[in-house]
């Protein structure tokens, strides 16, 4: 009975470790990072649609800088 518990614990632990590794690898893939950054950029653009031209350009520069930071580009 004790051996069965140890085997069950090891199976559960290794399964969770494997699933965590797969999740982290998928979450940090370049495609997913780019999708998240583009989504943030689009949200920032939608928030600035009713601004004057000068404010719009300033906010676009800020949104562009935030996108580049999100992508990891200095």
């Amino acid at each position: 009975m004790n051996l069965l518990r140890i085997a069950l614990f090891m199976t559960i632990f290794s399964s969770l470790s494997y699933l965590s590794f797969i999740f982290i690898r998928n979450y940090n893939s370049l495609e997913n990072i780019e999708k998240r950054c583009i989504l943030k950029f689009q949200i920032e653009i939608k928030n600035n649609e009713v601004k004057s031209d000068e404010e719009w350009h300033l906010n676009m520069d800020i949104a562009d800088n935030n996108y580049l930071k999100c992508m990891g580009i200095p």
Side-chain angles (χ1 to χ4, degrees), residues 11-46:
T11 304
I12 291 172
F13 181 74
S14 62
S15 297
L16 288 176
S17 298
Y18 179 73
L19 289 174
S20 298
F21 174 75
I22 296 297
F23 173 77
I24 290 171
R25 187 179 66 182
N26 187 30
Y27 185 78
N28 290 330
S29 71
L30 291 177
E31 294 172 359
N32 289 333
I33 292 172
E34 185 176 359
K35 287 178 186 177
R36 287 192 305 269
C37 293
I38 288 173
L39 182 63
K40 287 179 186 178
F41 183 74
Q42 289 172 347
I43 290 171
E44 288 182 15
I45 290 174
K46 286 181 183 178

Side-chain angles (χ1 to χ4, degrees), residues 1-7:
M1 193 62 146
N2 210 8
L3 188 60
L4 181 62
R5 283 187 181 175
I6 293 172

